[in-house]
Amino acid sequence: MNNYRDITLTSVLQKLLEKIMYRRKVKRCSKIEFPHKFQQGFRPQCGSITAAFTVKESICHYLERNAVFLDNAKALNSVWIQGLQYMVYKLGFNGNFLKILNDSFHGVTAYELYNGQKSKEYPIEQGAGQGRTLTAWLFLVMINGLATKFEVSGLGLSIKNLHIPCDFLADLLLATSIRNLQLQLDIVHGYANTWRLNCNSSKSLLMQFTCRKLPPKEPEVQCYIGNTPIFWETSKVYMGITLCSILKLDNDMLIRAERGVQLLIAL
């Protein structure tokens, strides 16, 4: 059952209403500098390409440094609705906008459909509503405070006048030392506890990058999310690119070459 996610189906009228709400709030978002500049997802002219470029250039700038790839468990479906409403209010979106948003979460129900059989309806008490027009924007609101905390902390990488502590398209933290990485994880853990977000430590991993020809030995120091340890790895697929601890693209090229051969044989 944990492999399934519910999808929110809304009427055409509600989709049109949320489109109008979104267009009206975009102007205000630009004035209050929302979403945060660390957020690469769901922003104009940002996405997987800019995120991958930022990460790889940051790795190449530092000869040796550490990163942790976090997994936010069931991110959209586990959003705390009351906390989300409070954050929307704190951003300055109140009045009719907030009333309509609150009403859209009131009395929402769901049911299971399997082999044509429909279950009894049950109330939805959490989640931003995966499939809604406003879902992406609402999740940006939920994690915007975490980006602000990273900016204030001063932790992470500094390239001249650029401060790069994280990449929020795929939940990546960057640091020059394991100690700083742990401090960043403590910020994540504290924020997650406050706003009821779930970090999936079993799918999260640590990597240490180096310019040496041989992969670095696994550090003896362990990092934790709360009391749960995160394990070290030597490679990670990030935005379609295989990041290796020795900063080489050989594995990525081999994987693509093998796929090319398979496609050629299939043809």
Side-chain angles (χ1 to χ4, degrees):
M1 291 299 295
N2 288 330
N3 292 330
Y4 291 87
R5 304 289 184 273
D6 59 280
I7 299 297
T8 302
L9 301 178
T10 56
S11 65
V12 174
L13 287 177
Q14 182 172 341
K15 289 181 181 292
L16 289 173
L17 177 61
E18 291 191 2
K19 280 282 187 181
I20 295 171
M21 294 169 65
Y22 179 79
R23 288 182 179 275
R24 289 188 176 184
K25 67 177 172 51
V26 164
K27 297 180 180 179
R28 177 170 176 79
C29 287
S30 60
K31 295 180 181 179
I32 60 176
E33 297 183 356
F34 175 86
H36 199 280
K37 60 186 177 182
F38 294 154
Q39 177 57 254
Q40 295 277 5
F42 311 116
R43 287 181 59 199
Q45 300 178 348
C46 292
S48 58
I49 295 177
T50 56
F53 175 82
T54 302
V55 171
K56 293 199 70 175
E57 288 301 309
S58 300
I59 292 172
C60 293
H61 182 79
Y62 284 82
L63 296 180
E64 293 190 7
R65 58 118 216 208
N66 305 281
V68 57
F69 296 84
L70 297 174
D71 182 77
N72 195 347
K74 302 179 183 178
L76 298 176
N77 299 91
S78 60
V79 169
W80 178 26
I81 294 177
Q82 287 76 20
L84 174 62
Q85 292 168 338
Y86 173 77
M87 285 188 169
V88 172
Y89 172 78
K90 292 293 287 183
L91 276 176
F93 295 98
N94 43 42
N96 289 333
F97 181 93
L98 188 59
K99 289 179 182 178
I100 295 172
L101 182 65
N102 292 349
D103 286 344
S104 70
F105 285 109
H106 180 71
V108 177
T109 59
Y111 62 86
E112 307 295 332
L113 184 64
Y114 181 73
N115 280 347
Q117 299 296 316
K118 179 179 174 182
S119 71
K120 293 182 179 179
E121 293 188 359
Y122 55 89
I124 297 296
E125 298 178 349
Q126 67 176 29
Q130 187 166 341
R132 288 181 54 173
T133 303
L134 287 175
T135 299
W137 185 83
L138 292 174
F139 188 69
L140 290 181
V141 172
M142 200 69 194
I143 63 174
N144 194 66
L146 180 57
T148 302
K149 284 183 175 293
F150 280 133
E151 184 178 27
V152 173
S153 71
L155 298 170
L157 305 184
S158 294
I159 303 176
K160 292 188 177 181
N161 62 336
L162 293 177
H163 178 214
I164 309 175
C166 58
D167 180 357
F168 271 3
L169 181 59
D171 301 336
L172 167 66
L173 304 182
L174 307 168
T176 53
S177 69
I178 298 176
R179 178 180 177 277
N180 285 347
L181 205 58
Q182 182 59 60
L183 292 175
Q184 288 175 290
L185 286 171
D186 292 340
I187 293 175
V188 172
H189 181 66
Y191 191 86
N193 281 345
T194 301
W195 300 105
R196 302 186 186 180
L197 298 174
N198 299 318
C199 290
N200 191 345
S201 56
S202 62
K203 291 186 178 180
S204 302
L205 60 91
L206 290 161
M207 284 188 67
Q208 185 178 57
F209 296 96
T210 179
C211 60
R212 302 168 186 168
K213 294 183 179 180
L214 297 176
K217 295 182 180 179
E218 182 177 315
E220 296 180 358
V221 180
Q222 194 70 47
C223 289
Y224 297 83
I225 299 180
N227 296 323
T228 308
I230 309 176
F231 299 101
W232 293 90
E233 300 289 346
T234 56
S235 65
K236 163 71 176 177
V237 178
Y238 177 78
M239 297 298 148
I241 299 173
T242 303
L243 294 177
C244 298
S245 56
I246 55 176
L247 303 180
K248 286 190 176 182
L249 297 175
D250 295 357
N251 290 346
D252 213 28
M253 294 177 184
L254 286 173
I255 292 171
R256 278 158 176 72
E258 290 176 0
R259 288 178 181 174
V261 171
Q262 292 173 0
L263 288 173
L264 183 60
I265 294 173
L267 290 172

